[in-house]
Amino acid sequence: MARKLPPVYPNLAAEMTRDNVSREDIARVVGKTSECVGGWITGKSGEFPISGAIAVQATFWPTIPMRELFKRVEPEAEEVAA
């Protein structure tokens, strides 16, 4: 069974949970699949693209500064290795 990776954008993940915004909701805004969005959130598929981040912030959380919402936190080495 695959382990769930922690988000590298924990503030974004917290706001999604708090406001009941799904990966599918974000995918519709950025024009990608929910799997692609999930890869960005966990860091598995690289960085969240700036154009997508701007669209997400403007659509769902316009009062939260971009730097705060998309603050990237690298996973601990043991989390990556597991």
Side-chain angles (χ1 to χ4, degrees):
M1 178 194 261
R3 263 186 75 218
K4 186 176 178 184
L5 295 174
V8 294
Y9 299 101
N11 294 343
L12 174 63
E15 293 302 329
M16 289 172 66
T17 299
R18 189 174 0 267
D19 293 337
N20 199 28
V21 173
S22 69
R23 289 179 178 184
E24 290 80 11
D25 295 330
I26 290 178
R28 279 191 288 279
V29 169
V30 299
K32 298 289 183 180
T33 65
S34 61
E35 291 80 13
C36 181
V37 170
W40 293 337
I41 292 171
T42 61
K44 189 175 181 180
S45 299
E47 299 281 330
F48 209 107
I50 189 67
S51 60
I54 290 168
V56 167
Q57 188 254 0
T59 302
F60 298 108
W61 301 284
T63 61
I64 300 176
M66 185 75 71
R67 284 182 185 240
E68 181 181 332
L69 186 61
F70 286 93
K71 181 179 179 183
R72 187 175 170 98
V73 176
E74 296 301 326
E76 299 295 323
E78 62 269 10
E79 292 175 350
V80 173

